[in-house]
Amino acid sequence: MRIAFLMAPEGVEQIELTDPWQAVIDSGDEPVLVSTKPGQIQAFHHLDKADVFPVQEVVGETSADSFEGLVLPGGVANPDALRMDERAVSFVRDFFEQGRPVAAICHAPWTLVEADVVRGRTLTSWPSLRTDIRNAGGTWVDEQVQVCDAAPSTLVTSRKPDDLKVFCEAFLEEFAKRR
């Protein structure tokens, strides 16, 4: 199963990329790094530059049809940049319209808010997104992980790096249902 990991050219919280990425590999599936520009992405440890990772596919040159699921890592700058890129927002929206599962952690739900896919859903995130999610018609909860099975697409959300273990377990379980 191919799983898209969508991120901006810089600003992703490295552990929110690398832990889910490794979990996907360990499950026998194929993670694919998708970004808004070719080349590489610059990850961060909070506000400090960390490693760079090669972009494998570019939004606008690939589609949700090519993947069985989508993972949206956080970091403050990453989803803020993604929500300003209409091609990235459309890519995310397509997963929901096609009923493909999506997982988002930390600040990543900002991109979901921009894609207008949180209305009627229950989700969690970094606490500072609470009002944005509510204003977009979603219900915010303070839980390690939240699985919302509202049609047409399952959404798995989590709050922060400390929740990565349960986040990975939950989204892998939901994504496996696509087999």
Side-chain angles (χ1 to χ4, degrees):
M1 178 162 43
R2 287 180 41 138
I3 307 297
F5 279 69
L6 176 63
M7 55 216 96
E10 69 175 38
V12 70
E13 183 67 33
Q14 182 161 316
I15 196 166
E16 293 176 7
L17 162 62
T18 56
D19 279 18
W21 185 277
Q22 189 61 52
V24 168
I25 290 171
D26 292 348
S27 73
D29 293 320
E30 177 189 359
V32 179
L33 197 153
V34 179
S35 188
T36 56
K37 295 180 182 173
Q40 59 188 19
I41 62 111
Q42 174 67 62
F44 283 75
H45 292 299
H46 304 290
L47 300 176
D48 298 323
K49 284 187 177 182
D51 297 325
V52 294
F53 298 89
V55 173
Q56 294 169 282
E57 297 190 23
V58 177
V59 170
E61 298 172 11
T62 191
S63 69
D65 298 8
S66 303
F67 304 96
E68 284 72 42
L70 171 65
V71 175
L72 297 168
V76 177
N78 177 51
D80 193 49
L82 289 176
R83 67 184 178 158
M84 297 303 294
D85 186 303
E86 183 49 45
R87 294 171 310 145
V89 172
S90 179
F91 183 73
V92 169
R93 191 179 303 116
D94 287 349
F95 278 85
F96 285 88
E97 290 173 355
Q98 295 176 23
R100 297 173 192 272
V102 175
I105 188 167
C106 201
H107 287 80
W110 264 341
T111 309
L112 302 176
V113 167
E114 191 66 32
D116 195 25
V117 295
V118 302
R119 187 172 321 285
R121 294 180 177 276
T122 300
L123 58 155
T124 193
S125 67
W126 185 256
S128 65
L129 276 67
R130 167 180 54 232
T131 301
D132 296 328
I133 290 166
R134 288 178 180 153
N135 288 343
T139 300
W140 187 86
V141 295
D142 185 12
E143 300 289 338
Q144 280 188 307
V145 70
Q146 178 66 40
V147 177
C148 183
D149 221 358
S153 181
T154 299
L155 174 61
V156 179
T157 52
S158 195
R159 303 173 301 188
K160 57 188 174 184
D162 289 347
D163 301 333
L164 276 164
K165 184 177 185 318
V166 293
F167 173 65
C168 292
E169 290 169 356
F171 86 73
L172 287 173
E173 181 179 325
E174 293 302 319
F175 284 23
K177 294 176 181 176
R178 296 260 322 151
R179 283 187 171 53

